Amino acid sequence: MEINPFALLASALVTLVIGFIWYNPKVFGNVWMRENNLTQEELRKGNMLKIFGLTYIFSLMITMIEMGLTIHQSGAVGMVGGPPLIESAKPSFNAFMADYGMAYRTFKHGALHGFMSGLFFAFPIFGITGLFEKKSWKYIFVNAGYWIVTLTLMGGIICQFA
């Protein structure tokens, strides 16, 4: 099963693009800053190259997990004898890929699984962390909402184009 590395690189950019929109003061940025007791001036003091660079690297890590959650063939390949090199694949692998190689490889299907990973993974993490850190529900919903939207789009891109 060939993977398009450009789709993974593009998917990782989603965190930055959606973050730019989501945390803009005209959207949820003012709420987010107020809930974190931050000001625009404090945020500008950060090392932006480090922040955005590491964000992109972490986002690439997320794409690897999202790929496994959205592309069902990646899990099934190991079960039917698919090795890294297609030339030495077992007949069961070739038969499986002939029948199901592109099944459920749509943006809509990937977006569904991305949404589910956001709702059932990211939201609980922010909920638990927020509760223990005595954060408000606004804080939890702003951050979890960002990840639900971001993972939905990442899942769609990965499933359709990777």
Side-chain angles (χ1 to χ4, degrees):
M1 187 173 78
E2 292 185 34
I3 298 298
N4 178 356
F6 297 111
L8 300 178
L9 296 171
S11 176
L13 286 174
V14 170
T15 57
L16 295 166
V17 172
I18 298 301
F20 178 76
I21 297 167
W22 194 268
Y23 293 103
N24 184 295
K26 294 179 181 176
V27 185
F28 296 111
N30 286 331
V31 174
W32 177 79
M33 285 188 292
R34 190 170 44 253
E35 296 303 312
N36 282 295
N37 297 316
L38 293 170
T39 64
Q40 290 269 356
E41 294 75 36
E42 290 172 312
L43 293 174
R44 285 189 192 107
K45 292 178 185 175
N47 181 338
M48 292 303 145
L49 181 61
K50 175 183 167 185
I51 292 168
F52 291 123
L54 287 173
T55 295
Y56 188 71
I57 291 169
F58 292 145
S59 298
L60 286 170
M61 294 167 67
I62 293 169
T63 63
M64 303 314 290
I65 293 299
E66 281 293 297
M67 188 169 55
L69 294 172
T70 60
I71 301 175
H72 300 307
Q73 290 83 349
S74 58
V77 165
M79 295 176 62
V80 293
L85 299 174
I86 217 119
E87 298 82 35
S88 59
K90 294 182 181 179
S92 58
F93 171 76
N94 294 325
F96 174 82
M97 290 307 284
D99 289 343
Y100 306 107
M102 292 306 290
Y104 300 104
R105 293 293 300 272
T106 65
F107 186 90
K108 185 170 105 173
H109 186 79
L112 171 66
H113 285 283
F115 174 80
M116 290 173 24
S117 64
L119 183 63
F120 295 108
F121 192 70
F123 175 55
I125 287 172
F126 274 99
I128 292 167
T129 303
L131 290 169
F132 278 97
E133 291 178 352
K134 308 291 189 237
K135 297 286 188 177
S136 70
W137 282 103
K138 285 181 186 178
Y139 168 88
I140 293 168
F141 287 134
V142 165
N143 287 302
Y146 161 77
W147 280 106
I148 291 169
V149 170
T150 298
L151 291 169
T152 298
L153 293 173
M154 286 176 81
I157 292 168
I158 291 167
C159 192
Q160 174 74 47
F161 301 107

